Amino acid sequence: MPLPAILERLRLPVIAAPMFIVSNPDLVIAQMRAGIVGSFPALNARPASQLDEWLHRITEETRCGVPFAVNLIVHKTNARLDEDLKTLAKWKVPLVITSLGANTEVNAAIHNWGGIVLHDVIDDSFARKAIEKGADGLIAVAAGAGGHAGRQSPFALMQEIRAWFDGPVALSGAIACGRSILAAQAMGADFAYIGTPWIATSEANAAAAYKQAIVESSAADIVYSSLFTGVHGNYLRPSIAAAGLDPDNLPQGDKNQMDFGSGGNSDAKAWRDIWGAGQGVGAIKAIEPVATRVETLLAQYQAAKRELPGRIDER
């Protein structure tokens, strides 16, 4: 499905980010029915045979024309990659989000069934490698994004990518209100890539304490650390403290010890014990259904579009 066709089917130009443990069929189905692209990590379906069941359910229960996406970890520690890829091929998954390693063979396999590949990147050099290896589009993961996140400002990241790439781009990084979705478009993104707001929804597979922590937190409660997976990410300070660690004095993680099959590198496992969240968390004030959250985002987005002309100097 080409980009214009996808955008025409959406109520908002939003791709819901796939979140470990949190994203499940209930969440994805609710997101799609609300008019945004839903997604989940393939590794959330455990055992691997459950992935086929999830894709069957999502396909059967969402005949609304809105596509969904599945995230594949393209890293040597993901022992399920080949098996999961075959399952995605069976169901002809329309969008595949690849992470942690652009792979020519994986991209070619996805293209064989007509799928679109979006690869997440944290800087321009990774973006160029992803496109060179056959990705159709990019997810620009800027500073402030929940979970694994980059260090660069979204302004810097988007301007460097758009200097040479005119294909599909989704922008991630502290986007939690409708005004920010419009801002992402103004910077050149086709989609806003949103994760944290979906954690505090009734459909999300997150512990009640996790959902409540999202509601009670602000940007000051986000800690950027590589300890838990070997890759830098943003996490909720209260969950780090609850695990008996000092959020202000965390050791560096070892990238060579990354193991996405085990759930993390420390005794406190990401994402079970250490809770990911982005810097936009302060915009989330309640636990509510996905449909309600989308309605709020849509109203904010439309209001921002109406207000924008009055804020622009037309000289």
Side-chain angles (χ1 to χ4, degrees):
M1 186 184 300
L3 174 64
I6 293 175
L7 287 170
E8 287 175 2
R9 294 170 184 240
L10 303 181
R11 297 183 69 208
L12 273 170
V14 168
I15 297 175
M19 295 175 285
F20 282 109
I21 300 177
V22 173
S23 299
N24 63 356
D26 288 343
L27 183 60
V28 173
I29 290 167
Q31 290 164 338
M32 295 170 68
R33 287 176 173 170
I36 65 172
V37 178
S39 75
F40 69 93
L43 289 175
N44 277 9
R46 296 175 182 267
S49 59
Q50 191 177 59
L51 180 58
D52 183 73
E53 298 170 12
W54 283 16
L55 291 174
H56 179 265
R57 182 185 167 199
I58 291 169
T59 301
E60 288 297 312
E61 294 187 24
T62 57
R63 300 187 180 277
C64 52
V66 175
F68 66 95
V70 177
N71 174 227
L72 287 178
I73 298 296
V74 188
H75 186 268
K76 62 184 180 182
T77 63
N78 181 9
R80 279 179 45 175
L81 178 59
D82 291 340
E83 182 179 1
D84 287 347
L85 194 58
K86 290 177 182 177
T87 305
L88 268 59
K90 173 184 174 180
W91 291 99
K92 294 182 171 57
V93 172
L95 294 172
V96 180
I97 298 166
T98 54
S99 304
L100 297 169
N103 185 296
T104 304
E105 290 74 24
V106 169
N107 293 340
I110 295 165
H111 291 153
N112 282 341
W113 75 70
I116 294 173
V117 180
L118 301 177
H119 189 70
D120 63 14
V121 299
I122 60 172
D123 62 34
D124 187 62
S125 64
F126 284 119
R128 291 177 184 269
K129 290 177 183 177
I131 299 304
E132 288 170 2
K133 292 188 176 184
D136 302 292
L138 302 166
I139 296 169
V141 185
H148 293 142
R151 299 175 182 270
Q152 294 183 357
S153 160
F155 293 99
L157 187 54
M158 283 302 305
Q159 71 186 13
E160 291 190 357
I161 290 173
R162 279 305 188 209
W164 60 273
F165 182 64
D166 61 2
V169 177
L171 178 62
S172 171
I175 301 175
C177 68
R179 191 181 301 278
S180 297
I181 296 172
L182 185 62
Q185 290 181 300
M187 281 188 280
D190 300 290
F191 303 92
Y193 192 69
I194 300 176
T196 303
W198 314 120
I199 300 170
T201 60
S202 53
E203 295 90 348
N205 183 37
Y210 188 2
K211 296 182 183 184
Q212 189 60 35
I214 293 290
V215 172
E216 296 174 356
S217 295
S218 66
D221 296 305
I222 303 302
V223 176
Y224 190 62
S225 173
S226 64
L227 172 62
F228 305 106
T229 66
V231 178
H232 273 92
N234 283 313
Y235 306 94
L236 283 173
R237 177 180 293 270
S239 69
I240 297 172
L245 301 169
D246 182 352
D248 297 314
N249 293 284
L250 295 175
Q252 292 293 311
D254 185 353
K255 191 172 183 178
N256 294 323
Q257 297 299 315
M258 280 195 298
D259 185 352
F260 291 94
S262 69
N265 293 335
S266 65
D267 290 337
K269 300 298 184 184
W271 312 87
R272 185 195 66 200
D273 306 312
I274 307 300
W275 299 332
Q279 291 178 6
V281 67
I284 303 160
K285 303 301 184 184
I287 301 168
E288 57 192 5
V290 165
T292 303
R293 181 134 298 152
V294 170
E295 289 298 331
T296 299
L297 289 171
L298 179 60
Q300 294 169 341
Y301 175 76
Q302 293 173 335
K305 286 202 296 183
R306 290 192 298 269
E307 295 168 6
L308 187 60
R311 296 176 179 273
I312 297 174
D313 186 347
E314 297 180 352
R315 289 176 298 176

